[in-house]
Amino acid sequence: MKVKIIKPLQGGEIEAPTSKSHLHRILIASALSGISSPLPDEGRSEDIAATERCLDALMCQWGTPLESQPPSPKGNVKTLPLLDCGDSGTTLRLLLPIAAALGKEVLFKGSTQLMSRPMEPLIQAVTNHGCTVKMIDSTTLHLAGRLTGGDFSLPGDVSSQYISGLLMGLPLLDCPCKICLTTPLQSAPYVDMTLNVLAKAGISWERQGDVFSLSCGQRYSLPQAVVPEGDWSNAAFWLAAGGFSKEGILCHGLSADSIQGDKKVLQVLAAAGGEIGPGENGIFSGLGNFHGFKFDAVQYPDIVPALAAVAAVARGTTEIFNAERLRYKESDRIKSIADVINGLGGKAEEMTDGLLIHGVPRLKGGTVSSHGDHRIVMMAAVLAMKCENPAIIENAEAVNKSYPGFFADYKNLGGALEWL
């Protein structure tokens, strides 16, 4: 579907959506602790629904812990439990080592795009420790065997989700384990978030540099009262939009003391000329006087689209670097960001590992593709605020992956739009 932005949002107050990254981890820890799902009946993003669906397929009856079992005898793959991950990379990468540690023989299914994203380092780590993993077709992966303990080696600069999946899965083996990174860890705040949730669930890892160590005898025991945080990565778009709006935006549900690394957006927008900081029960972003900036995205790739929206209309040139992993997200985000900015009348250049964005005072508007990427949809909607003519976003329903209420919130902030 297409959405046409007829009138840009004006500003106001809004509640930050729930952190998808935090909720994935809480859901899994809840299942492993044997407590009920913390999810309400409605309002799930597609990615969160995928994780809950896959936990159900692991024969999880909410309120009963997931338990290890001997490796299943290999049988007819058509009768195996099917874990449908949809397009959620987090779901696949966190649950594959957990299912392996539990000794479950299962099928993981996902979109062609998901299954084409890098998985080999995680698959290699699992197969080096007692499991078999093979692709049946372009959308289906077969896992069999039970994971054995010991030392796991894998790179830290491809996906932090590999490390998070092993951090969550290996405690189920009840034996000493180590995770040894062969390259420096990128997106480290997501690993910190995993360790934070694990600590709340009674699981403690020791870290010395690039080595994580686990002692045996630990059990998942997450308390019922863990509440996911507001999402800084998705709220980043409202904070960027506040810098363009007449009234400013007060975003409730965000804490500057958050465990999420994407709160970095607060510092970057302020340094780039934004009027941004603590507000009443949240963070306020008002009309900014933005200038170009340099941004090292190595630990914070998910806020790049929101920052790129600001850079597109800032004075001067912005350089975003150390962002090569953006090419392996829901779309090639370096290319997608450049395509949308240029398609709306801006000036952006792709680099191998980032972007050069030359700010212009106003954009023309027009029709752009979201490339099926939820964050590109939100970026384009923010850029529409600076367009002289309406902006039309193709495949705008992709936003449902992480933030199904995005366009309702856009209208609640004074915007007007039409679905085509």
Side-chain angles (χ1 to χ4, degrees), residues 54 57-58 76-85 92 99 104-110 115 134-137 139-144:
C54 289
L58 277 173
N76 187 338
V77 295
K78 293 181 180 180
T79 65
L80 293 177
L82 180 67
L83 279 65
D84 183 358
C85 300
L92 176 59
K104 305 282 189 178
E105 184 179 5
V106 297
L107 300 176
F108 283 95
K109 188 174 180 63
M115 290 301 187
K134 65 179 181 180
M135 293 297 297
I136 293 178
D137 55 41
T139 64
T140 310
L141 180 152
H142 176 222
L143 169 70

Side-chain angles (χ1 to χ4, degrees), residues 22 192-193 196 200 229-230 232 253-264 266 278 282-283:
H22 199 198
D192 293 338
M193 179 187 294
N196 179 276
K200 292 181 185 299
E229 295 186 344
W232 275 93
L254 296 176
S255 169
D257 297 325
S258 169
I259 61 175
Q260 298 170 63
D262 288 336
K263 65 185 180 184
K264 180 75 172 181
L266 190 65
I283 304 295

Side-chain angles (χ1 to χ4, degrees), residues 19-26 164 187-200 222 226-233 253-264 299-300:
S19 169
K20 181 167 67 78
S21 298
H22 199 198
L23 187 51
H24 277 299
R25 290 156 173 80
I26 292 173
S164 287
S187 291
Y190 288 103
V191 171
D192 293 338
M193 179 187 294
T194 303
L195 292 170
N196 179 276
V197 172
L198 287 173
K200 292 181 185 299
L222 190 75
V226 176
V227 177
E229 295 186 344
D231 192 345
W232 275 93
S233 60
L254 296 176
S255 169
D257 297 325
S258 169
I259 61 175
Q260 298 170 63
D262 288 336
K263 65 185 180 184
K264 180 75 172 181
Q299 303 295 356
Y300 319 100

Side-chain angles (χ1 to χ4, degrees), residues 33 106 167 378 403-404:
S33 300
V106 297
L167 288 171
M378 292 184 273
Y403 193 170

